[in-house]
Amino acid sequence: MINVFGSLMGPEELAEVKSSLEAQWIGIGPKTARFEAAFAERLRLPGFTLLDSGSNALHMAIKLLDLPPGSDVIVPSFTWIACAHAVVLCGHRPVFCDVDLDTHNLTLKTVEKALTKKTKAVMAVHYAGLPARIDALKKLRLPIVEDAAHAVDSRLKGTACGSLGDVGIFSFDAVKNLAMGEGGGLTAKDPKRIARARQLRYCGIGKSGFEASASKARWWEYSVTDFFPKMLPSDIAASIGLAQLRKLDRMQGRRKAIWEVYQAEFAGLPWLTRPQDAPKDARHSYFTYCVRVAARRDAFAKFLYDKGIYTTLRYHPLHLNPIYGSKAKLPNCERLNEEALSLPLHPGLSQEDVETIVAAVRAWKP
Ligand SMILES: Cc1ncc(COP(=O)(O)O)c(C=O)c1O
C-alpha cells in the first residue's frame, strides 16, 4: 500500500540516537537544547521551546495568552481536533469559523463572521503548509495563535510561519515534514512567553532540584508556579529532529517536485480541483496534497484504495463533532467534508509510486 503520509528515516537519525544512547542520556538534555537553538536559527525565531507534541503545544499556547476566563477563541473548523481541545482545556470556548474553499485556510472575512462579544483570540492554521493571511487578520487587533504543524518550511513575506502572530506552534509527529516520532514546540513574539513555556512544560515546576531549591542543603525541594501537565521532550526525539533538520531542504525539495508533477498531470481533469500553489509573497511546505472531487469522492477513494493507494480526509470538520455542541453552519467546511481528499505526498515516495498514483487518478471515471 502506498501511504498518504510518511517520513524519511535513515543512517543520520540512527547515528544521532546512538550517540544519546551511548551517552546514557535519553531524557531532556543537551540534544534538546541543540535542537531548540538550531530550529530557532533556521526559522529566525526569537526563541523556541521543544515539547512532546504539537497538540500539547496548542494547549500551552492558549495558556500563555492568559485570556479572561470563559473567553471565546475563534478556531477554523477544518483542522485537527487538538486545536479546539486546547481552548476547552484552558477553560474557554472554541467558536468555529469557515475556511476559504480553495486555500482551506480561514480568512479575515470568515473570522469576522464568527466574532462574538467575548472573542479574545484567533487560532490560525496554515493548512497543508499554505500560509494563512496573518497579515490581514492583524486588522482585528486580537491575539493570534498560529498553528504551523503543517508549515515548518512556510514563509509569508519572508517571515517564517509560526512567528507572524503572538504565539506559534509546530508539530514533529511521525508524519510531519520534520519528524521525530512524537514532538512539537512553541515560539512567541514575546521572549518572556518562550521562557514561561520552559517553566510550564515540567508540570509548572519553574526550575529543577539544584536550580530551584533555595537552600542548597535540600536540593530535592522545588517551587511550583502553575497547575500544568508534563510536556517534556526527550533527547531521543531531539536526536531524530537534529538529523531531520539537516535533511529538511532535501526532503522539501522532494515534496515540491512531487507536488509539481501532480499539478501538471492533474491540470486537465474537469472533475478534480487541484490545491492552490503559494502566491508570490509566500512559500508552501507541501505537507499534504489535498484535492477536491466534484462527485463520488468516497468511490474515488475506494477506487484508489483497491489499487493500493491510501488516501484520507484531513479533516472531518470540528463543528460537526457533537462534543462541541456547535450550531454553526459553515458551507465551505461542509463542502470540503464531502469533496476533499488528500493524495500521497511525502519524501518516502519513489518515482514509481508517483507514476502509479498519477496513472490511477487519470484512470478514474467520475
Ligand atoms: C493542524 C494540526 N495541528 C496540530 C497537530 C498536532 O500535532 P501532534 O500530532 O504533534 O500532536 C496536528 C497533527 O496532526 C495538525 O495536523
Side-chain angles (χ1 to χ4, degrees):
M1 182 65 82
I2 300 176
N3 265 325
V4 62
F5 297 119
S7 59
L8 202 61
M9 297 292 154
E12 305 90 338
E13 288 79 8
L14 211 50
E16 277 287 356
V17 170
K18 187 164 176 282
S19 70
S20 287
L21 292 171
E22 283 165 351
Q24 302 292 332
W25 195 294
I26 58 174
I28 185 170
K31 294 286 187 75
T32 296
R34 271 179 49 204
F35 181 84
E36 290 176 332
F39 188 75
E41 189 191 337
R42 179 188 163 99
L43 277 71
R44 287 190 249 119
L45 305 174
F48 178 75
T49 296
L50 189 63
L51 301 169
D52 59 354
S53 76
S55 298
N56 282 342
L58 286 164
H59 180 180
M60 188 180 283
I62 299 291
K63 167 84 174 172
L64 288 172
L65 293 182
D66 286 322
L67 302 173
S71 298
D72 285 351
V73 177
I74 295 180
V75 177
S77 181
F78 198 61
T79 188
W80 172 236
I81 203 140
C83 295
H85 280 3
V87 174
V88 175
L89 289 169
C90 291
H92 308 303
R93 181 176 74 128
V95 174
F96 299 112
C97 73
D98 212 348
V99 298
D100 177 88
L101 202 52
D102 297 316
T103 66
H104 309 160
N105 283 331
L106 53 57
T107 64
L108 177 60
K109 223 163 97 225
T110 65
V111 170
E112 283 172 337
K113 278 197 187 139
L115 289 171
T116 68
K117 289 197 185 64
K118 295 173 71 176
T119 302
K120 293 287 184 277
V122 178
M123 184 185 289
V125 176
H126 302 289
Y127 184 87
L130 177 67
R133 300 309 303 196
I134 307 295
D135 46 353
L137 283 181
K138 287 189 173 168
K139 294 187 189 101
L140 296 167
R141 298 187 179 290
L142 286 167
I144 298 172
V145 168
E146 279 180 274
D147 181 333
H150 300 175
V152 74
D153 200 44
S154 301
R155 302 282 184 277
L156 186 61
K157 296 176 176 166
T159 301
C161 288
S163 67
L164 299 155
D166 298 270
V167 182
I169 75 100
F170 298 86
S171 164
F172 308 121
D173 80 22
V175 299
K176 292 299 188 304
N177 298 48
L178 192 166
M180 290 180 180
E182 286 295 351
L186 181 143
T187 187
K189 205 163 273 333
D190 177 350
K192 286 199 292 299
R193 280 185 168 147
I194 297 170
R196 182 143 178 253
R198 289 224 165 90
Q199 226 178 354
L200 284 171
R201 70 179 171 183
Y202 192 21
C203 298
I205 297 171
K207 291 188 175 146
S208 65
F210 280 105
E211 296 161 301
S213 62
S215 67
K216 287 291 172 243
R218 295 184 170 200
W219 56 88
W220 51 80
E221 293 181 0
Y222 48 77
S223 59
V224 184
T225 57
D226 286 86
F227 296 107
F228 207 69
K230 182 183 179 184
M231 298 179 177
L232 283 183
S234 76
D235 266 17
I236 297 295
S239 292
I240 299 172
L242 283 165
Q244 289 269 295
L245 196 54
R246 289 194 290 270
K247 288 161 59 171
L248 191 56
D249 287 336
R250 179 155 57 90
M251 297 191 294
Q252 286 305 119
R254 180 75 186 126
R255 285 177 180 270
K256 186 167 188 285
I258 298 169
W259 177 281
E260 287 167 352
V261 168
Y262 287 165
Q263 291 293 64
E265 292 286 350
F266 303 151
L269 303 176
W271 50 272
L272 181 146
T273 304
R274 298 167 301 155
Q276 286 214 339
D277 288 315
K280 287 209 171 20
D281 66 352
R283 182 164 85 186
H284 209 300
S285 284
Y286 312 109
F287 166 62
T288 187
Y289 188 83
C290 182
V291 301
R292 265 195 302 121
V293 179
R296 302 197 320 120
R297 182 269 321 270
D298 299 5
F300 174 55
K302 180 75 172 60
F303 172 79
L304 295 178
Y305 187 88
D306 294 343
K307 288 183 177 292
I309 300 165
Y310 192 64
T311 62
T312 188
L313 168 67
R314 285 289 188 274
Y315 297 86
H316 178 57
L318 298 180
H319 75 288
L320 300 178
N321 258 296
I323 194 170
Y324 290 110
S326 170
K327 297 196 176 27
K329 288 275 168 282
L330 306 175
N332 288 345
C333 286
E334 287 152 28
R335 187 166 168 193
L336 289 168
N337 190 40
E338 297 307 319
E339 298 182 6
L341 192 71
S342 282
L343 303 181
L345 175 60
H346 55 86
L349 291 176
S350 67
Q351 205 42 40
E352 194 198 340
D353 291 335
V354 175
E355 286 157 13
T356 302
I357 295 159
V358 167
V361 171
R362 296 178 67 84
W364 166 250
K365 297 281 171 285

